[in-house]
Amino acid sequence: MENHMKKTDTADHIFGQEVRDPFRWLENELDEDTIAWSHTQKEKSSHYFSESETEEEDRKRLTEMWDYPKYFVPVKVKDTLYYQKNDGLQNQASLYMKRGAVNKVILDPNSLSEDGTVALIQTAVSKQGRYLAYSTSEHGSDWQQIRVKDLESGHDLPDKIDHVKFTNIAWTPDEKGFYYSRFDLDEQEGLGNDKYVNKLYYHSLHTFQTEDQLIYEHPENDELLLSPFVTEDGQYLCLHISEGTASANRFYFRRIGAPTQSFLRLFDQQDAEYSFAGNIGSTFFFKTDLNSPKGKIVSINLDDSGEPLIKEIAPENDSVITDAKFANGMFVVTYLKNARHEIHIIRADGQYLHEVTLPQTGSLTGVTCSADDPYVYFGIASFLNPGIIYQYNLDNEGIEEFARSTLSFNTDEYETNQVFYKSKDGTTISMFVTHKKDIVLSGENSVILTGYGGFNISLTPSFNPAVLRWLEKGGVYAVANLRGGGELGEEWHRAGMLQNKQNVFDDFISASEWLIDEGYTNSKKLSIMGGSNGGLLVAASMTQRPDLFGAVICRVPVIDMLRYHKFTIGSYWIPEYGHPENKDHFSFLYRYSPLHNIKQGQLYPSLLVATAESDDRVVPAHAKKFVATLSDQADPSSTLVLRLESKAGHGLGKPTSKVIDEWVDFYTFLDKELE
């Protein structure tokens, strides 16, 4: 028994099942025993990582590989472009404005803290370009603070808004203020209280937050998230309303000039996704999966007498619509086909025009455009390409480069192949495999396999400079497109959620077996990595198939599936995972919950669990209880490391220096543990 390790007889009786929870005390971050236990874990991990023969070279190469300019897709307001750029090793990207030949920094978040742990999260420029509203996060917290900068003077206004997360900032056309959503908290209970309700407010410039006007609340359901925006023509205030992380949403609206008017509930059943794509006067356009799991574009005329009718503009096809934006009388529609992006142009009346011939294959890192402007901006990246930002002219179909990220590392020696394999039930799954071109399939290559499989999130080819170091070391990097994601539409998502969650683990385990069967690796050289819901993925896969992996990197994971809904925003995930207090849901949650499926005396793969003290999305108690339970029950020869990071959260706005530190430790772990 290790120091500061105690066990209690805490247990719950749920639907006739006794569920023991001897380390529940670790949920209390302020408990003296928790503090002492965490300190011991930090000492152990510090000792583990200090005994490394590869740390110095990994740090040197990772720093070199990170040192390249990184550009974000610009947003155009009037005649000015606003974009973020990181020069290379800056902890945080700065916000620039480009107007004609003038190109300058207007906000540098690196100046907001000495260690780079204050991050710029969201920016919103007012309609005429006079003001910038921006939000910042400290130490990776989901909680943000909104400030306002006068772009003419360059100075911040005294305005300051707290208690904010998961909101848009929606300026009014007159630039006198903006709408936002926030959480009203019981002052006696404070920010640590898990029960808070999202409400819509209007903030008038040059006033205190206490004077902000309550615009809308939905007291009959405290799990709703309100996301406000104002239509580009300045006529309507709209609300996307979602229940936690559910894909389906409600849509309400009212005229900007009628502040006393109640919101009209255009879509209130939460029976599908209704993502606003633009409007022409009173005709609204939406991307929806209503009776079309791969998505379609529809219109609805609000002035129609009687019940407004939904008219199909762009029907569902074999590819998944991931985004639709209105620009210059046309729709810029992003499709996902075999986990690769395409852009198509469709007229507002539904006439198909053409596909945009993209200069390279890969994933779109963003698409921006304006309703009255012919220019569309988008970025493309891949596993071996850090990204190029393009400007596309809808009038003449011309494409020009806006900005290019250039590496000093030669990626020509490497390749990415998309393969397809069968899961346990015969379902075909896509996977991207990246490695040296001259790879020998001897079964002796070290592999990192990663995935996510949840919340309708698609894993498409993306660039991470840390992966280059793995490739350089001779490793293979594989990304599986598991069920639960959005790669094949809402049906694919539903096939990996709630009672179908086991499909996700089966898909991932089958990917591992395929990599072994095809000669890429063997079980001693195969590592799996995942974060958040992906942390749940690798933890569940490890507990179900401990024989299959040589090493596991489990980042900021969801582990306790019977109590996840009791911490911070965990209740927002109930539509995805299920409710542990529902008998049917409890049955399938308990069956795969990693915390509750650890076997006494089992030898598990070498495990690195990485979490952070300031993670207020997936609280570190998940990781701590997992490590404590494994320490107590697993074969004592199992390698178990808890990396507990300070001044960091779930990953939001993590500074470059901390990201490099993290990957140095990951590679130290893999170099030690993969035989």
Side-chain angles (χ1 to χ4, degrees):
M1 189 75 67
E2 60 184 77
N3 292 333
H4 306 297
M5 189 74 156
K6 72 173 183 180
K7 293 176 66 176
T8 67
D9 58 2
T10 304
D12 296 315
H13 292 83
I14 310 174
F15 302 115
Q17 174 72 50
E18 181 184 47
V19 180
R20 298 183 66 247
D21 197 0
F23 303 108
R24 186 174 294 179
W25 51 272
L26 284 168
E27 294 175 4
N28 184 355
E29 295 290 314
L30 302 179
D31 181 87
E32 290 184 2
D33 289 318
T34 300
I35 294 171
W37 184 88
S38 299
H39 180 71
T40 298
Q41 296 300 318
K42 283 187 174 183
E43 288 183 334
K44 289 175 61 179
S45 66
S46 178
H47 177 71
Y48 177 90
F49 291 121
S50 68
E51 296 180 336
S52 170
E53 298 177 359
T54 58
E55 187 268 346
E56 185 176 346
E57 180 61 19
D58 280 337
R59 185 175 301 280
K60 176 177 178 292
R61 288 298 289 141
L62 283 167
T63 301
E64 291 170 349
M65 289 172 170
W66 237 280
D67 193 8
Y68 69 93
K70 305 164 188 68
Y71 294 90
F72 296 70
V73 179
V75 173
K76 193 172 187 180
V77 179
K78 294 191 70 177
D79 58 348
T80 305
L81 290 171
Y82 300 88
Y83 65 95
Q84 293 186 54
K85 176 192 174 188
N86 188 313
D87 290 338
L89 295 173
Q90 290 176 295
N91 276 319
Q92 304 291 342
S94 295
L95 180 65
Y96 287 73
M97 65 176 290
K98 179 177 173 60
R99 182 183 299 150
V102 177
N103 198 3
K104 66 177 183 179
V105 176
I106 57 174
L107 182 60
D108 179 9
N110 297 288
S111 65
L112 302 178
S113 64
E114 292 184 1
D115 57 5
T117 56
V118 174
L120 177 63
I121 304 301
Q122 186 177 181
T123 61
V125 178
S126 61
K127 185 75 172 176
Q128 301 303 317
R130 171 69 187 273
Y131 298 106
L132 166 72
Y134 65 95
S135 68
T136 57
S137 164
E138 186 174 2
H139 299 167
S141 172
D142 278 340
W143 289 108
Q144 298 168 35
Q145 182 183 87
I146 298 176
R147 302 298 299 266
V148 180
K149 182 180 288 291
D150 185 332
L151 294 178
E152 289 187 2
S153 68
H155 298 305
D156 274 4
L157 302 182
D159 306 51
K160 184 176 67 173
I161 296 173
D162 294 308
H163 299 171
V164 172
K165 58 177 164 182
F166 314 131
T167 184
N168 287 342
I169 301 172
W171 283 96
T172 53
D174 59 13
E175 298 188 310
K176 291 182 179 180
F178 54 82
Y179 300 96
Y180 70 99
S181 66
R182 78 166 193 248
F183 295 92
D184 282 352
L185 307 174
D186 187 321
E187 293 181 0
Q188 293 181 341
E189 295 179 277
L191 291 176
N193 179 34
D194 296 333
K195 291 294 183 183
Y196 37 77
V197 180
N198 202 216
K199 300 179 182 181
L200 180 68
Y201 283 86
Y202 173 74
H203 175 74
S204 181
L205 292 188
H206 312 289
T207 65
F208 294 107
Q209 183 178 7
T210 53
E211 301 174 42
D212 289 356
Q213 180 184 358
L214 176 63
I215 301 298
Y216 181 76
E217 60 181 326
H218 207 109
E220 61 267 33
N221 189 337
D222 60 7
E223 300 298 338
L224 295 182
L225 287 171
L226 313 178
S227 186
F229 65 93
V230 174
T231 55
E232 280 199 61
D233 60 9
Q235 295 300 306
Y236 299 95
L237 168 63
C238 304
L239 280 178
H240 276 138
I241 302 177
S242 58
E243 185 167 349
T245 56
S247 299
N249 67 280
R250 311 176 189 199
F251 183 86
Y252 301 172
F253 74 97
R254 78 179 194 194
R255 285 195 172 273
I256 285 283
T260 60
Q261 181 189 53
S262 298
F263 279 92
L264 299 176
R265 301 186 175 194
L266 185 60
F267 300 116
D268 199 31
Q269 299 304 309
Q270 207 158 310
D271 56 350
E273 172 203 359
Y274 299 98
S275 293
F276 182 79
N279 70 297
I280 301 176
S282 61
T283 299
F284 281 23
F285 300 91
F286 295 89
K287 175 178 83 75
T288 181
D289 57 13
L290 179 67
N291 303 319
S292 304
K294 286 182 166 43
K296 62 186 176 185
I297 299 174
V298 300
S299 69
I300 185 165
N301 190 334
L302 307 178
D303 287 340
D304 282 350
S305 57
E307 186 73 20
L309 297 178
I310 296 177
K311 178 182 177 183
E312 190 171 86
I313 300 298
E316 180 184 31
N317 62 36
D318 291 339
S319 300
V320 179
I321 298 181
T322 61
D323 188 36
K325 290 184 169 66
F326 194 58
N328 215 37
M330 307 172 221
F331 287 106
V332 179
V333 186
T334 303
Y335 285 92
L336 194 59
K337 185 175 184 179
N338 289 329
R340 297 175 186 268
H341 282 118
E342 299 175 348
I343 297 178
H344 294 256
I345 308 301
I346 300 172
R347 273 192 2 189
D349 61 5
Q351 180 183 346
Y352 179 84
L353 295 178
H354 59 84
E355 179 181 355
V356 177
T357 303
L358 301 179
Q360 56 178 314
T361 59
S363 300
L364 291 166
T365 58
V367 178
T368 65
C369 54
S370 301
D372 57 356
D373 190 273
Y375 290 104
V376 179
Y377 298 88
F378 60 87
I380 304 178
S382 67
F383 293 115
L384 298 172
N385 185 335
I388 303 175
I389 310 297
Y390 294 96
Q391 174 183 280
Y392 177 73
N393 190 326
L394 286 164
D395 288 340
N396 59 25
E397 301 180 25
I399 294 182
E400 298 178 3
E401 276 191 23
F402 175 80
R404 173 188 289 262
S405 295
T406 304
L407 297 171
S408 58
F409 183 85
N410 182 13
T411 61
D412 292 342
E413 301 174 12
Y414 306 89
E415 64 182 4
T416 298
N417 295 302
Q418 186 177 21
V419 301
F420 297 89
Y421 65 91
K422 296 292 185 181
S423 187
K424 181 179 180 179
D425 63 357
T427 300
T428 299
I429 312 295
S430 157
M431 179 164 59
F432 293 97
V433 186
T434 304
H435 49 70
K436 285 185 176 179
K437 289 181 177 177
D438 58 356
I439 189 173
V440 178
L441 298 181
S442 62
E444 294 297 321
N445 301 295
S446 295
V447 171
I448 295 175
L449 168 64
T450 189
Y452 191 78
F455 295 93
N456 203 28
I457 293 173
S458 301
L459 291 192
T460 59
S462 60
F463 186 77
N464 181 349
V467 172
L468 297 184
R469 175 59 180 160
W470 182 247
L471 300 176
E472 183 182 60
K473 289 157 75 81
V476 176
Y477 184 70
V479 179
N481 300 125
L482 314 171
R483 279 175 283 188
E487 291 88 350
L488 295 176
E490 182 58 20
E491 286 182 349
W492 191 252
H493 172 214
R494 292 184 179 277
M497 61 185 280
L498 296 172
Q499 73 275 12
N500 299 320
K501 189 67 175 177
Q502 183 59 42
N503 287 336
V504 184
F505 312 135
D506 291 342
D507 293 351
F508 198 61
I509 289 168
S510 296
S512 305
E513 293 172 332
W514 186 92
L515 288 164
I516 293 171
D517 292 344
E518 293 296 316
Y520 284 91
T521 192
N522 61 70
S523 60
K524 293 181 179 180
K525 287 187 173 293
L526 173 61
S527 68
I528 53 176
M529 175 188 289
S532 194
N533 176 72
L536 165 63
L537 167 70
V538 299
S541 298
M542 182 194 84
T543 54
Q544 292 183 18
R545 287 294 305 275
D547 61 304
L548 193 55
F549 315 107
V552 178
I553 298 179
C554 184
R555 307 169 69 178
V556 292
V558 185
I559 295 292
D560 186 343
M561 300 311 297
L562 303 187
R563 288 177 61 80
Y564 78 87
H565 62 305
K566 295 181 178 291
F567 310 117
T568 61
I569 64 161
S571 61
Y572 289 166
W573 313 329
I574 288 173
E576 182 77 14
Y577 291 141
H579 202 306
E581 296 166 29
N582 173 301
K583 185 175 182 178
D584 292 337
H585 293 186
F586 168 80
S587 178
F588 60 73
L589 287 166
Y590 188 54
R591 199 155 46 238
Y592 73 76
S593 176
L595 185 68
H596 303 97
N597 284 277
I598 296 169
K599 296 180 178 65
Q600 185 73 41
Q602 173 69 52
L603 177 64
Y604 286 100
S606 299
L607 174 65
L608 169 59
V609 181
T611 188
E613 293 175 342
S614 302
D615 192 340
D616 52 12
R617 188 175 305 181
V618 180
V619 294
H622 282 278
K624 292 179 179 180
K625 289 171 67 175
F626 192 42
V627 169
T629 305
L630 283 163
S631 298
D632 179 58
Q633 296 189 24
D635 185 310
S637 62
S638 301
T639 299
L640 182 59
V641 181
L642 175 63
R643 186 183 191 275
L644 184 57
E645 191 170 18
S646 60
K647 288 189 174 183
H650 198 61
L652 183 72
K654 182 174 285 191
T656 298
S657 58
K658 280 186 172 291
V659 176
I660 292 175
D661 288 345
E662 188 174 47
W663 279 97
V664 168
D665 287 351
F666 290 166
Y667 288 147
T668 293
F669 172 74
L670 293 178
D671 287 342
K672 281 187 173 188
E673 304 302 333
L674 293 182
E675 298 180 15

